[in-house]
Amino acid sequence: KAGVTQTPRYLIKTRGQQVTLSCSPISGHRSVSWYQQTPGQGLQFLFEYFSETQRNKGNFPGRFSGRQFSNSRSEMNVSTLELGDSALYLCASSFAPTGGWTNEKLFFGSGTQLSVL
Amino acid sequence: AQTVTQSQPEMSVQEAETVTLSCTYDTSESNYYLFWYKQPPSRQMILVIRQEAYKQQNATENRFSVNFQKAAKSFSLKISDSQLGDTAMYFCAFMNRDDKIIFGKGTRLHILP
């Protein structure tokens, strides 16, 4: 079974631009979560999608948005990039059993390293 | 608000030794999950071990075990017979019933040959 796939691996953008990152979860997984990882702040939760609906949201400005498609693939978008958005963006998927804990086992991708110049 | 604290930013141990990574957390909830995730240089986070708070018995996965002290809100990870491949960043994490996961800042572990 293929793992969680994130594209692209590396991205360089300039301030003010927008960017879209993609995440393909493991086949059969219904939940996709996004995290931002920086040396100073560590791993911070961005949002989670389940069956095309946003289930949870972290404390990030509205410039950060996401969506999930019917095949569970997810994208996140950052508009009007700022220097502080430079980070590793990690996507994780989980099976999300009915009635169980959705994220009791997360499978992560290798991330997209975003550099904003 | 829940918080997760890892007090050891960096540690080094010799191969084959045993090492313990510390983690404390703060919550008012009675049931939750605790995790240790490993992030090697490849950047891909991997689940090492997990513990549901209702379960009294400490979780064990091969060379990895935890010491879960619910009253003290402590969740340490013990790695026995450490191997070079254990070199990585280790993150302690907490999850409550709304499935939001909060990560600690991490402990960078170096296994020395």
Side-chain angles (χ1 to χ4, degrees), chain B residues 22-51:
Chain B
S22 302
C23 173
T24 58
Y25 59 95
D26 189 25
T27 184
S28 57
E29 302 189 23
S30 58
N31 196 23
Y32 44 86
Y33 257 99
L34 294 162
F35 308 90
W36 280 97
Y37 276 89
K38 167 185 176 181
Q39 187 178 40
S42 67
R43 310 183 319 194
Q44 187 174 27
M45 300 267 285
I46 302 163
L47 178 64
V48 174
I49 199 165
R50 60 186 173 179
Q51 172 95 35

Side-chain angles (χ1 to χ4, degrees), chain A residues 9-10 35 37 40-41 43 45 55-57 88 101-106 108-111 113, chain B residues 31-33 35 37 39 42-45 47 50 52 91 95-101 103-105:
Chain A
R9 289 268 304 196
Y10 301 91
Y35 293 85
Q37 185 176 13
Q41 298 298 317
L43 274 151
F45 171 72
R55 274 188 80 227
N56 274 316
K57 188 176 188 308
L88 177 67
W101 295 70
T102 300
N103 294 324
E104 64 176 341
K105 187 166 187 180
L106 288 179
F108 282 82
S110 295
Q113 183 69 54
Chain B
N31 196 23
Y32 44 86
Y33 257 99
F35 308 90
Y37 276 89
Q39 187 178 40
S42 67
R43 310 183 319 194
Q44 187 174 27
M45 300 267 285
L47 178 64
R50 60 186 173 179
E52 189 175 0
F91 292 94
M95 180 174 76
N96 60 12
R97 211 49 184 100
D98 70 5
D99 287 309
K100 267 190 182 177
I101 298 181
F103 288 88
K105 292 283 171 92

